[in-house]
Amino acid sequence: MRRAPRLFHSVREYTGRKDQPKGFGRRDFRDLLIRARIQLGGPIVLVWDNVRLHLTKSLWGFIEANVGWLTVFQLPTYAPDLNPREGIWSLVKRDIGNLAAADASQITRAVKRKLKMLQYRPEVINGCLAGTGLALDV
């Protein structure tokens, strides 16, 4: 039995503090996948683009060690039309495009709020998947 698609996200705000990472690392992706698995209680199908971090040996080692519950589909290089994340970000950017933010934390809060709203709209997530030809039969 297939379930409706789900959106899992994590947003990190870079504040410029010394020793603060500027982006997600291998552990961040691993932890997000583990949290998603715990919440779902079942297997995960992950569609991944070719961001350099996604191609590292250590991250692929984690994926290979967890093939029992984690299936990864690697998208071809330079194929945004196949990436459902592009549709999600388009919706987020459309919603906050006219935001007059006083600082970066306001933008971060707006992005988190929109992503949270999208989590409860599986039909919108399915629309982003359908736009890529990856629609799931629910």
Side-chain angles (χ1 to χ4, degrees), residues 11 84-94 111 115 118 128:
V11 177
R85 183 183 72 176
E86 299 295 332
I88 297 293
W89 278 115
S90 174
L91 294 169
V92 170
K93 288 188 273 186
R94 183 182 316 153
V111 168
L115 289 170
L118 290 171
C128 292

Side-chain angles (χ1 to χ4, degrees), residues 33 37 43-46 62-64 66-72:
L33 289 170
R37 179 177 185 233
I44 293 177
V45 175
L46 180 65
F62 169 77
I63 292 166
E64 290 169 358
N66 292 286
V67 294
W69 61 269
L70 183 58
T71 303
V72 176

